[in-house]
Amino acid sequence: MSTKKPSVKKDKKKKKKSAGISGFSTLNQVAGVPRPREHRSSIPVETPEPITEPHPLCEYCNETIENIASAFLLADGNYAHFDCVLDRIKEEAKPQEGEMVSYIGSGNFALVGKDEEGKPIIIRKIPFESSENTKAMKEYIASLRTR
């Protein structure tokens, strides 16, 4: 009777395969994602024109307005910071304790309080920017973006 010893080489191969990860090495290979290649196109790439935003002075504080989209267009054609307008309206409205001035959109502010249940209610609307000025400002900002 002859007894064969199993070869050492086969045992090492089995151990090596079972010990390590075999097959795919990345998730992209598992998902079937092709390898990235450099893109070459015959279509010329146009560089967009830079937008030059104006920096007018605020009518109330005389400082530069860095973001024209957050400013108000006043009736006289000048601009004012949102915070400057809010401070001016707070001075004029004189909110009582538990009341506050809030922007409600479309160039309008409101004096806001709370009812018996604690829900906010509008006590008084304070129009600031006319609808024509609001529309003109929106169109002006849109024209800056499409250049």
Side-chain angles (χ1 to χ4, degrees), residues 1-137:
M1 235 191 221
S2 72
T3 56
K4 283 188 176 181
K5 285 187 173 180
S7 73
V8 177
K9 289 182 183 179
K10 288 183 181 178
D11 288 341
K12 283 185 180 179
K13 284 184 181 179
K14 285 182 183 179
K15 286 182 181 178
K16 194 173 187 180
K17 280 188 178 181
S18 64
I21 298 173
S22 63
F24 299 113
S25 62
T26 66
L27 187 58
N28 283 343
Q29 289 176 338
V30 173
V33 176
R35 291 186 179 188
R37 287 184 257 147
E38 185 180 335
H39 178 72
R40 293 186 182 104
S41 174
S42 61
I43 301 171
V45 177
E46 296 179 24
T47 54
E49 292 181 30
I51 296 173
T52 54
E53 185 173 335
H55 298 288
L57 293 179
C58 175
E59 181 72 15
Y60 298 140
C61 70
N62 289 325
E63 292 184 20
T64 303
I65 297 173
E66 296 297 327
N67 185 1
I68 197 72
S70 66
F72 280 99
L73 177 61
L74 305 176
D76 60 1
N78 292 322
Y79 296 92
H81 290 112
F82 177 86
D83 291 333
C84 292
V85 171
L86 182 62
D87 291 341
R88 184 157 292 205
I89 290 176
K90 282 181 185 176
E91 288 174 12
E92 293 172 4
K94 296 180 177 126
Q96 303 295 319
E97 190 174 325
E99 297 176 346
M100 60 186 241
V101 175
S102 181
Y103 182 70
I104 58 173
S106 300
N108 297 306
F109 290 83
L111 186 61
V112 179
K114 295 197 177 195
D115 63 6
E116 300 84 32
E117 297 175 2
K119 295 180 182 177
I121 58 167
I122 294 176
I123 299 169
R124 176 172 47 117
K125 287 186 180 181
I126 306 167
F128 181 77
E129 193 174 47
S130 69
S131 60
E132 293 85 27
N133 282 359
T134 303
K135 184 178 178 185
M137 187 66 161

